[in-house]
Each structure stands twice: as structure tokens, then as C-alpha cells.
Amino acid sequence: MKIGSSPDKAAAPAAASTTNRAKTAGASSAEGSAKDDASAQVKLSDAASSLMSTSTSSKGDFDAEKVNRIAQAIADGKFEVNHAAIADKLISNAQELLKSPH
């Protein structure tokens, strides 16, 4: 490089070629991973399957009317957060986690 020449002009072609190579490499690896994903299979253990069926059936019920009331209160700007109740529940959950065996 000559003294006094602009480093931006000299570095620009090299940076552009590096960027193009990275894009090309990313595209080819994305194509390869897409092929791998199409043939990937997942097998859940019996315990995981049991947890999935239990959690979906026990948490499937909710109070739609309450959800609508809360959504309307938020839309109207009238929804108030009970900070004390949230703090109490967070502390309670943390205590349960600390007591449970890992």
C-alpha cells in the first residue's frame, strides 16, 4: 500500500469478497441443514409423553369471561396491577423451588 492512499479503497474489495463468501457458505449450510431437518425424527420417552398428556388436559380449562374482562380493562386503560400479590406469589414460588429436591 502506498503512503497517502486511502485505506478504505484498498480494503473495500477484500471486505466485499469476504462478505460474498460468507453469504454463499451460509446459503449452502442452510440448504444442508434443511435436508437434515426433513429426515430428523424425535421420539419422546414414556415419562415425557405422560407429562404432555397430563399438562394439556389439566390446563385446558380457563375462564373466558375473566380473560375478556381483563382484556377490556387493559384496552380501556383501567387495568391495575396488584404488585403486592405478584411479589407474594414470586416469593412463594421461589421458596417452593428451594425446598424441592433437584
Side-chain angles (χ1 to χ4, degrees):
M1 175 170 20
K2 292 183 181 178
I3 296 175
S5 68
S6 174
D8 293 333
K9 290 180 184 177
S17 65
T18 303
T19 304
N20 289 338
R21 278 184 279 172
K23 287 180 183 177
T24 304
S28 63
S29 67
E31 290 171 4
S33 65
K35 291 177 185 175
D36 294 339
D37 290 343
S39 64
Q41 295 180 0
V42 176
K43 170 120 172 72
L44 294 178
S45 68
D46 293 335
S49 297
S50 173
L51 286 173
M52 291 291 290
S53 65
T54 302
S55 66
T56 55
S57 63
S58 65
K59 294 187 180 186
D61 298 330
F62 69 96
D63 187 352
E65 180 59 35
K66 183 175 182 179
V67 171
N68 290 333
R69 283 195 315 267
I70 292 171
Q72 189 61 47
I74 292 170
D76 295 341
K78 297 178 181 179
F79 183 77
E80 294 183 21
V81 177
N82 186 343
H83 302 285
I86 293 172
D88 289 343
K89 289 184 181 183
L90 283 172
I91 292 169
S92 175
N93 287 342
Q95 288 173 339
E96 286 180 25
L97 287 172
L98 291 173
K99 290 179 184 176
S100 69
H102 298 285

